[in-house]
Amino acid sequence: MNVAFDHLVHLTERPEQAKTAFEQWGFTAIHGGRHPSWGTYNALCYFEHLRYIEWIGIADRQTARTCGNPLIAQLVADRQEGNGFSQFAFRTNNIEAVAAHLKRNGFTPIGPLPGSRERDDGKRLTWSMLFIEDDTDGAFRYPFFIQWGDGDDVRMNELAPLMRHPIGSVSLSSISIYTLGLQRAVNGYRRLFDLPKPDVGRDEAGAYAKLAVGGIAIRFYEADRRHPSTRPFSCRIVGVQEQRSIEIDGATYIVSRP
């Protein structure tokens, strides 16, 4: 399956405050826009290869609860646990082919579902989203897939200024995720993406299994049973000389050297 990592979703009460914090640390970040049919709004930080962080907030709870989009339903559920990373997406230029791949590998796709918002300059952005029907019994969560209305070449040209940061030439390189069944999660992702066996290691968060897909590394960890979670809990941004750990609204951003 030909996909590239697209974005990591960070649920927060105030996306504009996360944006301001990132700007203070030397990143370029922007206000995104509102999604009236979902009851949400966002702010964004772009990196090399069109990867980005989306800080998303719920502005209209009733609309968010009833809109029927699986991502927004996940955000509403996660909100009960608190702010932090929630989901992430892989980009494709053929979402119907991804849906067919999912079916061949034993998954049940949901969608494609349409999405859109209007930029400050008046341009309407459009996209399609594809989800996977949950068969994990709550042990882990799958990503979703997105196809943008504009091609990568058009988006690269438009977004190039936003991928330049005062702090340096930075890139989003990895995501760390909690699971309630490490081996099940690894096997599920291997089946989803047709991946080889994972690498294993240990870091400050504990033992992990690592898979590489779509240009990014995903590290899977067993969650603490006292505080069960299946959410991403940290990401790594590389390309700066001074390493630091940034905590924002329940999520950890590890900024490090290349």
Side-chain angles (χ1 to χ4, degrees):
M1 179 165 50
N2 184 22
V3 297
F5 183 82
D6 194 71
H7 70 281
L8 174 61
V9 180
H10 183 170
L11 173 65
T12 175
E13 296 297 320
R14 295 282 184 260
E16 60 275 18
Q17 291 181 0
K19 168 190 174 293
T20 298
F22 253 59
E23 289 174 327
Q24 291 172 344
W25 281 306
F27 293 93
T28 300
I30 62 166
H31 291 294
R34 293 188 174 271
H35 316 109
S37 61
W38 297 347
T40 58
Y41 71 108
N42 65 10
L44 310 164
C45 182
Y46 286 92
F47 302 95
E48 293 178 351
H49 311 297
L50 294 173
R51 301 169 194 165
Y52 68 97
I53 302 290
E54 177 184 24
W55 299 292
I56 190 166
I58 296 174
D60 183 335
R61 297 181 184 181
Q62 179 61 25
T63 299
R65 283 196 299 265
T66 59
C67 71
N69 182 286
L71 172 61
I72 309 306
Q74 184 73 72
L75 294 174
V76 170
D78 284 345
R79 198 168 184 270
Q80 305 307 307
E81 180 182 324
N83 293 327
F85 295 131
S86 176
Q87 258 293 4
F88 54 98
F90 288 90
R91 185 173 66 256
T92 177
N93 60 10
N94 190 338
I95 206 162
E96 296 294 347
V98 172
H101 171 91
L102 295 179
K103 291 177 181 177
R104 286 194 302 269
N105 284 29
F107 296 95
T108 301
I110 301 173
L113 305 176
S116 66
R117 71 171 176 87
E118 189 169 301
R119 287 194 323 207
D120 288 344
D121 64 4
K123 178 175 178 176
R124 177 158 294 277
L125 301 179
T126 62
W127 61 85
S128 296
M129 308 167 76
L130 184 70
F131 300 90
I132 299 172
E133 187 174 289
D134 190 1
D135 63 357
T136 70
D137 300 320
F140 62 97
R141 59 182 66 176
Y142 290 114
F144 66 98
F145 301 91
I146 188 166
Q147 180 172 352
W148 292 94
D150 290 329
D152 282 1
D153 53 345
V154 173
R155 297 182 66 238
M156 188 72 74
N157 183 61
E158 290 188 349
L159 298 173
L162 303 180
M163 291 185 275
R164 294 192 287 267
H165 302 268
I167 198 173
S169 181
V170 293
S171 179
L172 184 63
S173 67
S174 69
I175 298 172
S176 296
I177 303 171
Y178 281 131
T179 75
L180 301 180
L182 180 59
Q183 195 57 54
R184 282 192 63 192
V186 169
N187 289 342
Y189 273 68
R190 290 184 63 200
R191 178 166 65 97
L192 176 60
F193 291 106
D194 294 329
L195 298 174
K197 291 183 178 180
D199 296 326
V200 295
R202 178 176 290 273
D203 61 14
E204 63 276 3
Y208 64 82
K210 181 178 72 173
L211 295 172
V213 57
I216 202 164
I218 305 174
R219 293 185 177 187
F220 299 90
Y221 300 77
E222 192 74 46
D224 187 333
R225 292 289 176 176
R226 295 170 298 178
H227 304 94
S229 176
T230 59
R231 298 168 71 167
F233 63 91
S234 74
C235 71
R236 186 174 296 272
I237 299 168
V238 298
V240 301
Q241 294 306 310
E242 181 181 353
Q243 182 163 324
R244 69 178 74 178
S245 181
I246 301 170
E247 304 284 338
I248 300 179
D249 282 348
T252 300
Y253 295 85
I254 299 171
V255 183
S256 66
R257 290 179 287 274

